[in-house]
Each structure stands twice: as C-alpha cells, then as structure tokens.
Amino acid sequence: MCKVYVVQEGKKRYLPLLLIGDEQEDMIDRYLSRGVMYVLQVDGQDIGVCVVTDEGSGWAEVKNLAIAPAMQRKGYGSYLLQAVLAQLQAAHVRLGTGDVPGTLSFYQQLGFQVCGRIPGFFRDHYDHPIVEDGVTLCDMVYLQKDLD
C-alpha cells in the first residue's frame, strides 16, 4: 500500500533520504525550509521524499527526489513524482539534475524536456565530487514540464 503525505515540521528527520537526492546538507538547507516536502510511505515505511519549491510566476521546482536504495528501480520514484505533480498548483515545473543518461531518461519518460544547463554547477557548489552511476557530475541540466 502506497501513501504520499506532506511533512510540514521536523523535515530534517528525513535527512538520510534527502542526502540520497542531494549529497550535501548545506545545499539541502538552502531549500528545505521554503519547500513543501512530500514523503512516500510503502507498507508503513517511509521510503522516499520529494521537495518542491514555489518559484513564482506559475513555476514550481523539484529540488530533491529520492528513494531508499533498496527500493529503487521498482517504480516508486515515478509514482512519487507523478503524485506530487498531480497536487501542484503551478502551471510549469522544472528541475535540475546531473548530466547522466539514466537520470535524464527517467525524467524524459515522465514528460520532462531538457531546457538548459548550468556549466560547472556541481564542481562550483559542492565541497566534494558528486558521482552518479559512475559519472562525476559537472554541469547541471535543467528540465521542465508544462502541467496545464
């Protein structure tokens, strides 16, 4: 049984999950207090998080999407993101991620399209190399999707 619910207080207790989606706590701190945090619970266990911020002018931004490692690649990430998108009042949503084929494909299968890039983002904003699927991240790739 899957359930998605909003957490308004005590968001930091989900730090182990948040760090899966964003490996540096001070980067998480930049958006956590102003974001809406959704938690995915499966059979009574919290296994995923998604944090979304209101960026104004009809835009929302997914800042963090993470599923516990043992539960990854089972459809839970798609389930959580689709549930979150269905609840948003924004007309458009965007997100930034690393330039990793598997990750980009995941979002593109959900209707997101590449719309930009920030060169050197991961190198310039993180205090250690970020490696995803064997790729050391450098540029942040932005994707967007219209919700209306």
Side-chain angles (χ1 to χ4, degrees):
M1 174 93 152
C2 294
K3 171 182 163 185
V4 176
Y5 63 95
V6 174
V7 171
Q8 296 180 346
E9 307 223 355
K11 296 175 186 177
K12 282 285 215 148
R13 74 178 181 258
Y14 295 93
L15 190 59
L17 283 170
L18 290 163
L19 287 167
I20 294 166
D22 194 342
E23 292 184 20
Q24 193 165 302
E25 188 172 352
D26 70 325
M27 294 297 282
I28 294 169
D29 289 340
R30 292 180 183 194
Y31 56 79
L32 189 60
S33 64
R34 67 184 183 92
V36 177
M37 175 186 260
Y38 300 86
V39 175
L40 173 60
Q41 188 177 82
V42 176
D43 296 329
Q45 296 221 1
D46 296 332
I47 65 146
V49 293
C50 184
V51 180
V52 181
T53 58
D54 180 346
E55 298 299 318
S57 300
W59 283 91
E61 186 166 337
V62 175
K63 295 290 194 176
N64 194 315
L65 176 67
I67 301 294
M71 304 302 280
Q72 291 176 1
R73 305 207 186 280
K74 297 180 179 182
Y76 292 119
S78 296
Y79 179 89
L80 175 56
L81 186 54
Q82 289 174 321
V84 168
L85 295 178
Q87 294 182 46
L88 294 181
Q89 299 299 313
H92 317 280
V93 64
R94 67 178 166 236
L95 58 88
T97 190
D99 195 358
V100 178
T103 304
L104 294 174
S105 175
F106 167 79
Y107 289 116
Q108 289 170 326
Q109 289 175 10
L110 293 171
F112 285 84
Q113 297 178 344
V114 173
C115 64
R117 170 181 300 266
I118 301 175
F121 179 87
F122 291 99
R123 182 189 63 235
D124 296 344
H125 291 89
Y126 287 81
D127 63 12
H128 64 284
I130 305 295
V131 179
E132 184 178 325
D133 289 343
V135 176
T136 301
L137 304 184
C138 182
D139 297 351
M140 178 180 283
V141 177
Y142 265 101
L143 297 100
Q144 70 182 33
K145 178 176 180 168
D146 294 332
L147 299 179
D148 52 355

